[in-house]
Amino acid sequence: MKNSLKLLPLLAAVALSQGVNAQQAPKPEQLIKWRQSAFQVVAWDFNRIKANLEGSYNKEDVVKAANTIAAIANGGLGSLFATGTETGRGWHDTSTKPALFAAGSKVGDHAASFAKESAALAILAVTSDQAHVKEQFGKLGGTCKACHDDYKVKD
Amino acid sequence: MKNSLKLLPLLAAVALSQGVNAQQAPKPEQLIKWRQSAFQVVAWDFNRIKANLEGSYNKEDVVKAANTIAAIANGGLGSLFATGTETGRGWHDTSTKPALFAAGSKVGDHAASFAKESAALAILAVTSDQAHVKEQFGKLGGTCKACHDDYKVKD
């Protein structure tokens, strides 16, 4: 008991001096749950924009939805596909194909397109009209589909 | 069959003329799943900022995480607590207490605080240093706790 009490501050000091985070790294199941959640939020906001474009257009609502998609797409999603998350269960079994994790995977290109087109949509939602938002929304949807075709197991 | 085929364009025209969205409104279970997902994404980003503050501070990572929290907090979360979602199952049974939906609920005040403090954090993450981010992060955490104390069933 006495020894372990002495050891704790030492370990903490070592961890801090090495820049190691004091928190435990999240487990793979947690990362999978978070990535499934992130894409669900994107789906929510994508659905909102679609409803606005097909029905009554509320600019403020579209701006909010586009801004959230852009924040997530540019917010470091890659870390949720860390080594160890190739298989496993978050809210449900992962829908990510093993190909995403393979060397030579083009997922970085898809992620960059998703980030770019969503950022453009967030800007257009503020600065432009429904017709331009619709056009850019189509481009954004194209980046979703391209990545899903390559790396997502069909529902 | 012939009659129903004739009726469809008429219904669509009525819906459009009334500004009703052509899409079906999302079901309560879908809204609950989306709100659970949104708060999971907030938890992910909250966890990232905490890890940065307790370990090695990466400004870019903190900016991304704070920006995503701010986008979600200011992105229309209230619509995910629509009438009909008082009970039900998304990824799991809702953790929202019935009190949130009651007349006189102060949830709007909590939501406004969450939106305000997360927006301030997103700005400070870009413009200021770790010490100020830590202080603002504490304020943001306070808004989470205040709302959870009133309206979230304990895990």
Side-chain angles (χ1 to χ4, degrees), chain B residues 70-124:
Chain B
I72 290 174
N74 290 275
L77 278 177
S79 66
L80 299 180
F81 293 87
T83 302
T85 66
E86 296 86 347
T87 58
R89 187 177 179 80
W91 296 119
H92 53 78
D93 289 341
T94 185
S95 304
T96 307
K97 289 182 185 172
L100 182 142
F101 302 94
S105 159
K106 292 183 178 169
V107 69
D109 296 342
H110 286 310
S113 297
F114 179 41
K116 180 187 157 199
E117 301 301 351
S118 62
L121 182 65
I123 293 167
L124 277 172

Side-chain angles (χ1 to χ4, degrees), chain B:
Chain B
M1 182 65 177
K2 205 174 173 184
N3 278 344
S4 54
L5 278 175
K6 275 186 185 166
L7 195 59
L8 278 175
L10 177 65
L11 286 173
V14 169
L16 287 171
S17 69
Q18 293 180 338
V20 174
N21 289 331
Q23 289 185 300
Q24 291 265 323
K27 293 183 178 170
E29 291 71 19
Q30 180 65 75
L31 295 176
I32 294 173
K33 190 178 279 190
W34 282 337
R35 78 187 182 210
Q36 291 171 345
S37 296
F39 285 105
Q40 279 289 323
V41 174
V42 170
W44 166 42
D45 288 311
F46 199 87
N47 195 67
R48 281 165 78 185
I49 297 172
K50 189 165 182 279
N52 272 280
L53 289 171
E54 293 180 353
S56 176
Y57 191 77
N58 181 316
K59 182 170 177 167
E60 191 187 349
D61 196 45
V62 172
V63 167
K64 287 178 178 178
N67 195 41
T68 304
I69 295 175
I72 290 174
N74 290 275
L77 278 177
S79 66
L80 299 180
F81 293 87
T83 302
T85 66
E86 296 86 347
T87 58
R89 187 177 179 80
W91 296 119
H92 53 78
D93 289 341
T94 185
S95 304
T96 307
K97 289 182 185 172
L100 182 142
F101 302 94
S105 159
K106 292 183 178 169
V107 69
D109 296 342
H110 286 310
S113 297
F114 179 41
K116 180 187 157 199
E117 301 301 351
S118 62
L121 182 65
I123 293 167
L124 277 172
V126 175
T127 60
S128 197
D129 60 10
Q130 183 173 350
H132 286 96
V133 167
K134 186 174 182 179
E135 188 184 346
Q136 183 58 31
F137 183 67
K139 286 188 192 171
L140 175 60
T143 71
C144 300
K145 185 179 184 309
C147 196
H148 289 182
D149 284 351
D150 283 355
Y151 298 123
K152 190 178 178 221
V153 176
K154 296 234 175 335
D155 290 331

Side-chain angles (χ1 to χ4, degrees), chain A residues 108-138:
Chain A
D109 296 342
H110 286 309
S113 297
F114 179 41
K116 180 187 158 200
E117 302 301 351
S118 61
L121 182 65
I123 292 168
L124 277 173
V126 175
T127 61
S128 197
D129 61 8
Q130 183 173 352
H132 286 96
V133 166
K134 187 175 182 179
E135 188 184 346
Q136 183 59 31
F137 182 67

Side-chain angles (χ1 to χ4, degrees), chain A residues 28 31 35 77-86 101:
Chain A
L31 295 176
R35 78 187 182 211
L77 278 177
S79 66
L80 299 179
F81 294 86
T83 302
T85 66
E86 296 86 346
F101 301 94

